[in-house]
Amino acid sequence: MSTNGISQALKLQFGLINYENRYLTAEAFGFKVNASGTSMKKKQIWTLEQNEQDGQVVFLRSHLGRYLASDKDGKITCGAEKPDPDCRFIIVAQSDGRWALQSEPYQRYFGGSADYLSCFAQVIGEQEMWAIHLALHPQANLLSVARKRYAHLSASDGEISVDSNIPWGVDSLITLVYLDGKYSLKTCDSRFLNNDGKLVKENTPSTCFTLELKSGKLTFKDCEGKYLTHVGPTGTLRSGRCSKPGKDELFDLEESHPQVVFQAVNKRLVSVKQGVSISANQDVETDMETFQMEIDKESKKSTFRTNGGSYWTLVTHGEIQSTATDVEENTMFDIEWREQRVALKASNGKYVCTKKNGQLSAVSDTVGDDELFVMKLINRPILILRGENGFVCHHKNSNTLDANRSVYDIFSLIFNDGAYNVKSVNETFWYVSSSGLVCSDGEKPEDFFLEFLEHGHVAIKGSNGKYLRGDQGGTLMCDGTSVNASSLWEY
């Protein structure tokens, strides 16, 4: 397993905001483009693609899979199915972090307002400036390109250290908080990174960074024009002396997979502490009892990676060991979701059970107590949900929740014996009303159940046995009878 990024770097998706605070929008009808969007929904999201041969050149792909292009007269279209020469743009970063987009073949700049967009300006003015609003899910792992190490909260040192070989445990979760065109880095204990490397409770100008792109990687520029880098033996994350970014200032954002702990029928934790065999024989949660769940995009089956980089696998006589170095059929498990418990079915079609000595074996045809496990998600103490139409956010004037916003609220996720309670900022809890509305002002916690059904997406079931979904009006409901696009959430 190479330490140079154990996951795919996230594709950069973002909204582009013009000088009138409107988003660049790709309309489905006639592949027209305008700058009229008031918030970032599906039509306002663009994907950046690099040119393999020429790192300077970028292509901008709309949500319809078509590419932005400019002809020699500055006319803007967005109908090309493949990137042709007219689709080649160069990003010219400005000192305030905004971008100017220059047509590479014609050297003119792209700008304008509403329906009047063109790429004909010879110099960069206010109309040719675009602010960047990242559209990816804001919780990720941060990888230093130069060190090939991951950032994590080092609570004992009161810093973010860039010295992890793998992004393991809750400490490696970084949340990007967007405010007025700038980003703050928030740790799993809800503190912000200050530009001097200290962690602080409040978001201030010195915790806000401008995102810039360099060779397809991210850089973070602070309020004094200096860039985040890693300093000293532990790789303390802080602003350096550079006002021009080099390799040490480059970062990738990677997807943060769910990491889980299993408790068996004997009330002990499943572990790899004792070597290659996987047994339920520990009482304390450490890295040895934490497993990364990676869901196959095609089959929807799960693999479980250990912190040493190996996978659970089925060996002879049904035993489960951590000896596989690659994903193969024997490392794939089906998860059956039984509200507060899960059952795991191995590739031999048998259920995994806990033997008397704690050893896990896939030998059972049916599910009884020995085949049930409590599965606890450990690396999402703070929850941000994004559905097909946007983020989940408190409704302005009521106790309900919206599921179609371009901004997000951060909720607390509290584990409760195989179920979860969701707490709002104001210390009240989510509950489901008799009409199926999800409300956020509960006095006492109500149980919800997480089902990790697809790569990067979770379904959430209420105590009423129905699934959370966003309805047509954008309200969060708990009345879904089956799982579909409206009831799957990035988390």
Side-chain angles (χ1 to χ4, degrees), residues 187-221:
T187 55
C188 62
D189 63 358
S190 293
R191 289 187 288 172
F192 294 99
L193 177 69
N194 205 49
N195 62 357
D196 62 2
K198 292 190 170 68
L199 296 173
V200 295
K201 286 266 190 279
E202 298 296 321
N203 208 348
T204 65
S206 56
T207 63
C208 292
F209 299 88
T210 303
L211 272 193
E212 291 182 3
L213 274 193
K214 189 173 156 68
S215 342
K217 308 294 180 192
L218 292 172
T219 64
F220 297 87
K221 186 168 78 173

Side-chain angles (χ1 to χ4, degrees), residues 258-261 293 337 339-340 342 374-381 383 412-423 429-430 445-452 458-463:
Q259 292 179 343
V260 296
V261 172
M293 188 162 81
W337 305 95
E339 303 217 317
Q340 286 174 285
V342 297
V374 177
M375 188 174 96
K376 172 184 173 185
L377 176 70
I378 63 125
N379 62 336
R380 288 295 183 282
L383 185 69
S412 301
L413 194 64
I414 300 156
F415 181 74
N416 178 25
D417 186 31
Y420 297 84
N421 310 136
V422 186
K423 193 158 73 169
F429 291 94
W430 285 19
E446 184 169 293
D447 283 349
F448 291 87
F449 308 100
L450 302 188
E451 299 181 1
F452 300 92
V458 66
I460 302 175
K461 191 186 261 188
S463 298

Side-chain angles (χ1 to χ4, degrees), residues 80 109 129 198 200 210 232 253-254 323 396 448 451 455 479 483 485:
Y109 295 96
M129 306 265 244
K198 292 190 170 68
V200 295
T210 303
L253 286 173
E254 288 188 359
T323 49
K396 283 193 181 70
F448 291 87
E451 299 181 1
H455 184 101
D479 61 0
V483 175

Side-chain angles (χ1 to χ4, degrees), residues 261-268 270 280 335-345 351-355 360-361 364 366-375 417-418:
V261 172
F262 290 100
Q263 187 187 48
V265 64
N266 61 8
K267 298 284 185 238
R268 310 200 69 189
V270 173
I335 303 179
E336 290 186 6
W337 305 95
R338 298 173 174 240
E339 303 217 317
Q340 286 174 285
R341 301 290 181 267
V342 297
L344 304 175
K345 191 187 268 188
Y351 289 100
V352 176
C353 77
T354 308
K355 291 183 160 175
L360 299 199
S361 282
S364 304
T366 56
V367 177
D369 288 345
D370 292 345
E371 290 75 30
L372 289 174
F373 297 88
V374 177
M375 188 174 96
D417 186 31

Side-chain angles (χ1 to χ4, degrees), residues 135-183:
L136 42 83
H137 190 280
Q139 291 175 303
N141 301 134
L142 188 67
L143 175 75
S144 157
V145 173
R147 275 184 91 118
K148 300 191 169 89
R149 293 290 183 272
Y150 290 90
H152 67 99
L153 169 67
S154 176
S156 54
D157 301 325
E159 65 174 35
I160 296 178
S161 308
V162 187
D163 62 356
S164 279
N165 282 338
I166 49 173
W168 213 252
V170 67
D171 293 346
S172 297
L173 185 71
I174 302 286
T175 302
L176 291 174
V177 180
Y178 178 78
L179 189 69
D180 297 332
K182 303 248 191 308
Y183 286 86

